[in-house]
């Protein structure tokens, strides 16, 4: 595995790979890799000839007072995990090179960036779309792999790539969960033992929603009430949202309808904000 931190060097290398006729797959990450990330790298490995994993804790997607400074970082461990999962190039740019003084160009997907996560983190998606567009232009991939755990992010990135005619296919890989259902996230390390135990209520809520929908409940009001009861029993600091959207438009619905609905949650336990989601078939 080759490690590159210069943007120019990565662009030259990517151009050579493209000219040799090989398919490039990129996996953008913020590091502190876990099995969720390595599953994305493995998926890129299967669908491309050369895998580029990027590690960059992107300051523009963190709002004031969020966890940018304390976001977990461990490049030595990441190097081993990335290589073992099948990475050929590890791209680790510096903040100074990604965002030189005076940087003022941003990519925004309007509308869908302002709801749900965007309501609680107003500048978050603008930071994500800007950095991902930069990473796509630097690594020139045929495919880019992201996780379903960040469902709204994946929807927004697909929309961005389609609307700006970027020649990269966005692939979305399934959520990887712990044995008790907690979705893997780099932020899980912030949870105390007690919060970690109570955090299983997110997956239990999604399972409850799925079971109720299978038995005929169609009303989002009634589904939300049941979920709120389950979540409140786990004593979260705050439930930011419990939402049901049409997965093709990301519009919130009042009644769930076939063929599918996407249930999404954001819940705070202490200082840690967790998100999760489930794509539910509607009979
Ligand atoms: O999903 C993430 O880890 C980040 O939002 C991403 C896509 C790497 C952009 O910084």
């Amino acid at each position: 595995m080759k490690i590159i931190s210069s943007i120019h060097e990565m662009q030259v290398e990517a151009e050579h790979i493209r000219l040799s006729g090989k398919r490039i797959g990129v996996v953008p990450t913020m590091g502190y890799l876990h099995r969720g990330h390595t599953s994305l790298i493995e998926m890129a490995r299967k669908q491309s000839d050369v895998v580029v994993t990027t590690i960059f804790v992107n300051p523009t997607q963190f709002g004031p007072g969020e966890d940018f400074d304390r976001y977990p970082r461990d490049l030595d461990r990441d190097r081993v995990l990335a290589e073992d999962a099948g990475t050929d190039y590890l791209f680790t740019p510096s903040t100074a090179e990604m965002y030189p003084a005076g940087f003022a160009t941003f990519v925004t997907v309007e509308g869908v960036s302002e709801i749900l996560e965007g309501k609680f983190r107003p500048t978050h998606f603008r930071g994500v779309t800007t950095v991902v567009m930069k990473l796509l232009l630097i690594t020139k991939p045929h495919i880019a792999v992201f996780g379903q755990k960040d469902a709204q992010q994946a929807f927004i990135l697909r929309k961005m790539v389609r609307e700006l005619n970027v020649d990269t296919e966005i692939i979305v890989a399934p959520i990887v969960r712990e044995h008790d259902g907690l979705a893997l996230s780099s932020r899980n390390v912030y949870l105390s033992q007690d919060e970690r135990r109570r955090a299983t209520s997110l997956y239990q809520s999604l399972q409850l929603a799925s079971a109720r929908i299978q038995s005929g409940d169609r009303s989002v009001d009634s589904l939300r009430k049941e979920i709120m009861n389950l979540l409140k029993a786990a004593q979260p600091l705050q439930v930011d949202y419990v939402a049901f959207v049409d997965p093709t438009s990301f519009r919130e619905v009042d009644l769930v309808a076939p063929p599918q609905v996407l249930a999404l949650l954001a819940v705070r336990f202490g200082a840690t904000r967790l998100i999760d989601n489930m794509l539910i078939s509607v009979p």
Side-chain angles (χ1 to χ4, degrees):
M1 185 179 74
K2 189 165 173 183
I3 300 177
I4 295 180
S5 55
S6 142
I7 292 178
H8 177 69
E9 194 184 338
M10 187 68 245
Q11 282 181 310
V12 169
E13 198 84 29
E15 191 60 30
H16 281 148
I17 299 167
R18 272 205 167 239
L19 287 173
S20 72
K22 290 187 175 150
R23 273 171 69 78
I24 302 176
V26 72
V27 182
T29 81
M30 297 207 298
Y32 211 68
L33 303 182
H34 50 65
R35 279 187 295 119
H37 296 113
T38 55
S39 77
L40 307 183
I41 299 171
E42 283 156 13
M43 184 159 287
R45 177 80 274 157
K46 281 192 199 125
Q47 302 198 30
S48 52
D49 304 307
V50 176
V51 176
V52 181
T53 299
T54 74
I55 295 184
F56 179 62
V57 184
N58 173 36
T60 63
Q61 69 187 78
F62 290 81
E66 288 189 357
D67 56 344
F68 175 70
D69 288 332
R70 69 176 187 130
Y71 195 84
R73 295 158 168 91
D74 188 344
L75 191 56
D76 289 338
R77 191 170 149 273
D78 286 349
R79 260 200 296 260
V80 176
L81 289 172
E83 183 160 28
D84 287 354
T87 302
D88 298 298
Y89 291 87
L90 192 63
F91 178 54
T92 58
S94 68
T95 306
E97 217 196 342
M98 287 293 272
Y99 296 113
F103 184 94
T105 306
F106 289 89
V107 178
T108 307
V109 176
E110 294 183 355
V112 65
S113 296
E114 288 137 39
I115 59 168
L116 301 172
E117 281 303 284
K119 221 182 226 165
F120 291 88
R121 310 182 69 193
T123 54
H124 173 65
F125 287 122
R126 179 180 92 144
V128 170
T129 40
T130 300
V131 82
V132 170
M133 182 57 89
K134 283 171 70 73
L135 292 169
L136 297 180
L137 291 169
I138 296 165
T139 62
K140 309 176 197 287
H142 298 78
I143 63 163
V145 187
F146 298 89
Q148 171 66 18
K149 159 108 186 328
D150 296 296
Q152 192 175 356
Q153 166 175 285
F155 182 91
I156 288 170
L157 291 173
R158 274 209 170 115
K159 191 167 165 66
M160 173 187 85
V161 159
R162 189 171 61 244
E163 293 182 358
L164 294 182
N165 309 105
V166 182
D167 196 10
T168 299
E169 184 190 351
I170 301 291
I171 299 199
V172 180
I175 298 175
V176 179
R177 298 184 181 279
E178 301 279 11
H179 65 281
D180 57 6
L182 181 69
L184 294 194
S185 161
S186 304
R187 290 189 167 99
N188 290 352
V189 293
Y190 299 152
L191 296 167
S192 69
Q193 227 175 11
D194 183 49
E195 289 166 346
R196 166 68 186 80
R197 188 181 49 74
R198 291 186 279 135
T200 55
S201 55
L202 273 82
Y203 184 56
Q204 287 162 6
S205 301
L206 295 168
Q207 284 184 308
L208 174 68
S210 175
R212 290 287 187 263
I213 289 171
Q214 302 322 309
S215 53
D217 200 344
R218 295 287 174 270
S219 155
V220 165
D221 269 354
S222 108
L223 291 165
R224 188 179 281 125
K225 254 180 221 144
E226 298 226 31
I227 289 181
M228 286 302 282
N229 286 342
L230 194 155
L231 286 173
K232 288 219 168 115
Q235 297 180 309
L237 182 68
Q238 190 178 313
V239 177
D240 282 354
Y241 59 81
V242 173
F244 290 81
V245 304
D246 173 347
T248 62
S249 64
F250 236 86
R251 286 209 192 94
E252 283 201 60
V253 296
D254 295 327
L255 285 177
V256 306
Q260 288 180 316
V261 71
L262 180 64
L264 303 124
L265 309 172
V267 184
R268 295 173 200 253
F269 284 95
T272 310
R273 189 169 180 281
L274 299 175
I275 58 171
D276 201 349
N277 70 84
M278 186 183 277
L279 190 61
I280 300 171
S281 296
V282 184

